[in-house]
Amino acid sequence: QVQVEESGGGLVQAGGSLRLSCAASGSILSIGRMGWYRQAPGKQRELVAMILIGGYTNYADSVKGRFTISRDNAKNTVYLQMNSLKPEDTAVYYCNANIRNSSANYFNNYWGQGTPVTVSS
């Protein structure tokens, strides 16, 4: 089976930085798009950033210039470097990856269980 797991969340003061990691594991043939989403209390889940295998990246307007998404294909891992954090960045951050497993000729989306980020004012 395939699964993804996030790590790196925590408590940080406004203006600080955190680096989130998400590793995919299991019987993986290939990984396409990988991305980060977040959900704040009482809010809808929203896209934060995504990265394709060709290197294309896309960011939510609210995080442009502050967050950077990257991936290490050899490690099946995607990262989110978060700088200049603001209280409004407080949310549970979820990893999503489009993965083809060893027994299929199609891709499925996989979600991590989330890692909480709290930014104090």
Side-chain angles (χ1 to χ4, degrees):
Q1 295 184 6
V2 174
Q3 61 182 11
V4 296
E5 296 185 23
E6 307 97 333
S7 62
L11 174 65
V12 65
Q13 291 186 334
S17 298
L18 285 173
R19 185 176 177 85
L20 306 183
S21 299
C22 172
S25 61
S27 300
I28 298 171
L29 286 181
S30 61
I31 302 178
R33 169 183 43 80
M34 304 185 80
W36 290 94
Y37 294 72
R38 68 186 181 187
Q39 187 167 22
K43 301 291 184 64
Q44 302 268 37
R45 187 174 299 187
E46 64 175 346
L47 174 68
V48 177
M50 70 170 68
I51 184 167
L52 306 184
I53 57 175
Y56 172 83
T57 59
N58 189 46
Y59 297 90
D61 288 341
S62 59
V63 307
K64 284 182 178 178
R66 300 187 297 120
F67 292 9
T68 302
I69 188 170
S70 61
R71 63 192 290 170
D72 186 336
N73 292 327
K75 297 180 179 179
N76 292 332
T77 300
V78 62
Y79 305 95
L80 185 67
Q81 178 66 47
M82 305 186 295
N83 298 326
S84 302
L85 283 162
K86 304 175 180 179
E88 51 262 44
D89 295 318
T90 296
V92 177
Y93 284 71
Y94 297 90
C95 177
N96 176 266
N98 194 29
I99 300 173
R100 181 186 176 187
N101 65 47
S102 298
S103 62
N105 59 358
Y106 58 90
F107 287 81
N108 281 328
N109 280 326
Y110 294 85
W111 289 92
Q113 295 195 36
T115 184
V117 172
T118 302
V119 184
S120 64
S121 59

